[in-house]
């Protein structure tokens, strides 16, 4: 957990709540001698040396790569999809995530065609992909059940006004030869496999003998 506090001269101090109790001279960051956890229902309190309360932050469930805190000039707490380490918080915040997405058919092995319906709470727009790529705001909008008759990866994400996008929900529908051992389907965006710059199977711009990642 990172906490950004503003000093009297208007600059920002970064404090990492990891229990290490140290100061990094090269980065100017402090590591506090304690940690906080939302599973224990803790609240982070910021006070001055006299003990006067300055602010407090309830430790609710956090989201990876998303900030949580105050918006400038507003009451309450918000999620912010723009992280501003060592600077003022973003002016755009969200009160939570879009609702969960449900699949009518679970992923797994199939021998016959299957129809998969997606559903989400009212007000949530579902966007999806069928090529294992991560859905985004430009992906097709789900409007009708999806017909599947060959190995297909459905990935879906919900979008809702004033909310962060939902988590990405994934199901693998597998056709073909079965195996005697249990099968685990690991899914990632194809770019992480084959993109020239970030793909682990990419030979790189210089066409090396082995993938350079």
């Amino acid at each position: 957990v990172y906490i950004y506090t503003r000093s009297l001269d208007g600059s920002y101090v970064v404090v990492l709540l990891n229990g290490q109790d140290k100061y990094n001279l090269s980065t100017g960051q402090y590591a506090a001698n304690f940690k906080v956890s939302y599973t224990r229902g803790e609240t982070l309190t910021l006070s001055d040396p006299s003990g006067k309360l300055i602010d407090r932050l309830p430790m609710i469930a956090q989201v990876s790569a998303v900030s949580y805190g105050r918006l400038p000039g507003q009451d309450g707490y918000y999620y912010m999809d723009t992280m501003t380490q060592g600077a003022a918080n973003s002016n755009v915040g969200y009160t939570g995530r879009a609702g969960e997405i449900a699949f009518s058919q679970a992923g797994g092995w199939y021998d016959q065609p299957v129809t998969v319906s997606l559903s989400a709470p009212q007000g949530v727009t579902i966007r999806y992909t069928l090529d294992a790529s991560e859905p985004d705001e430009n992906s097709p909008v789900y409007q009708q059940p999806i017909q599947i008759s060959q190995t297909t990866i459905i990935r879906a994400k919900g979008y809702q006004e004033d909310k962060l996008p939902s988590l990405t929900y994934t199901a693998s529908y597998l056709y073909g030869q079965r195996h005697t051992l249990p099968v685990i389907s690991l899914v990632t965006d194809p770019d992480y496999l084959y993109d020239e710059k970030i793909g682990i199977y990419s030979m790189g711009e210089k066409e090396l003998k082995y993938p350079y990642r």
Side-chain angles (χ1 to χ4, degrees):
V1 176
Y2 283 97
I3 301 297
Y4 315 138
T5 63
R6 192 169 188 176
S7 61
L8 293 177
D9 64 1
S11 63
Y12 290 84
V13 178
V14 179
V15 182
L16 177 59
L17 307 184
N18 61 4
Q20 294 184 2
D21 191 18
K22 63 182 181 180
Y23 173 67
N24 189 321
L25 185 62
S26 63
T27 63
Q29 294 182 358
Y30 293 88
N33 63 355
F34 64 93
K35 301 178 180 180
V36 291
S37 171
Y38 84 89
T39 60
R40 297 193 294 264
E42 296 176 340
T43 297
L44 179 67
T45 300
L46 182 66
S47 59
D48 66 15
S50 70
K52 180 181 178 181
L53 175 67
I54 297 175
D55 205 350
R56 59 165 53 97
L57 183 71
M59 288 291 103
I60 64 174
Q62 299 300 300
V63 180
S64 176
V66 172
S67 294
Y68 178 71
R70 300 280 195 186
L71 290 185
Q74 296 192 41
D75 294 330
Y77 307 97
Y78 297 85
Y79 292 101
M80 294 159 278
D81 57 4
T82 300
M83 294 179 289
T84 56
Q85 181 174 326
N89 285 343
S90 169
N91 289 314
V92 179
Y94 306 91
T95 57
R97 274 194 179 279
E100 298 182 357
I101 297 174
F103 290 66
S104 64
Q105 299 286 341
W109 289 102
Y110 287 88
D111 296 316
Q112 301 296 324
V114 62
T115 299
V116 180
S117 298
L118 307 180
S119 60
Q122 185 175 0
V124 176
T125 297
I126 301 174
R127 294 184 178 272
Y128 72 99
T129 64
L130 302 178
D131 62 355
S133 62
E134 181 81 13
D136 59 25
E137 60 276 7
N138 297 315
S139 299
V141 174
Y142 172 79
Q143 295 179 321
Q144 59 186 10
I146 302 169
Q147 309 294 327
I148 296 176
S149 58
Q150 61 183 359
T151 295
T152 302
I153 308 297
I154 298 180
R155 307 191 76 183
K157 181 178 289 188
Y159 290 83
Q160 187 173 3
E161 187 176 359
D162 296 327
K163 301 283 187 180
L164 287 169
S166 73
L167 297 173
T168 298
Y169 295 85
T170 303
S172 302
Y173 300 89
L174 307 176
Y175 288 78
Q177 183 177 355
R178 296 185 180 237
H179 302 272
T180 57
L181 295 175
V183 173
I184 299 175
S185 175
L186 301 179
V187 178
T188 188
D189 194 298
D191 283 350
Y192 291 120
L193 301 177
Y194 306 112
D195 181 80
E196 187 177 78
K197 295 187 180 297
I198 64 174
I200 62 173
Y201 295 139
S202 172
M203 301 306 293
E205 297 175 356
K206 295 183 180 180
E207 291 292 335
L208 302 177
K209 183 177 181 181
Y210 300 104
Y212 74 122
R213 291 295 182 186

